[in-house]
């Protein structure tokens, strides 16, 4: 059950990057996100659109709903 957002998407991106030992530039390259856009996301100036959010979640190996800031487990569900 989703109880609402507990963190911003930008904070979650930053947290996932630290946990994965990845730099923003590496995520940009792998997820095909422009560096300027990533800067806006991390600084909470703009929310990523769904397609980019899902691609970033895939690259980071996290649940996209978690990446949006909701109170769900961080790990991606295994298919």
């Amino acid at each position: 059950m989703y109880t609402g957002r507990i963190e911003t998407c930008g904070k979650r991106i930053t947290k996932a990057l630290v946990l994965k030992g990845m730099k923003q530039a590496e995520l940009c390259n792998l997820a095909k996100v422009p560096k300027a856009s990533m800067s806006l996301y991390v600084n909470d100036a703009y929310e990523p659109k769904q397609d980019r959010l899902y691609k970033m979640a895939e690259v980071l190996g996290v649940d996209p709903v978690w990446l949006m800031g909701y109170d769900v487990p961080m790990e991606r569900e295994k298919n």
Side-chain angles (χ1 to χ4, degrees):
M1 174 178 207
Y2 303 126
T3 58
R5 290 175 66 157
I6 58 171
E7 283 186 305
T8 64
C9 184
K11 286 185 177 154
R12 288 287 173 93
I13 292 170
T14 301
K15 187 180 283 188
L17 286 168
V18 169
L19 291 171
K20 302 294 178 179
M22 189 181 288
K23 303 270 186 208
Q24 281 184 33
E26 186 178 359
L27 178 58
C28 289
N29 290 334
L30 294 171
K32 309 263 189 288
V33 174
K35 291 178 183 177
S37 295
M38 183 63 69
S39 178
L40 291 171
Y41 303 153
V42 170
N43 291 305
D44 293 317
Y46 191 75
E47 293 270 332
K49 293 196 181 204
Q50 188 174 356
D51 59 335
R52 284 192 179 163
L53 184 103
Y54 276 84
K55 186 62 179 168
M56 288 188 293
E58 181 182 10
V59 169
L60 291 167
V62 299
D63 187 307
V65 178
W66 178 85
L67 197 59
M68 285 188 263
Y70 289 94
D71 189 18
V72 298
M74 178 183 177
E75 295 81 29
R76 249 182 125 80
E77 275 191 26
K78 307 281 190 266
N79 289 339

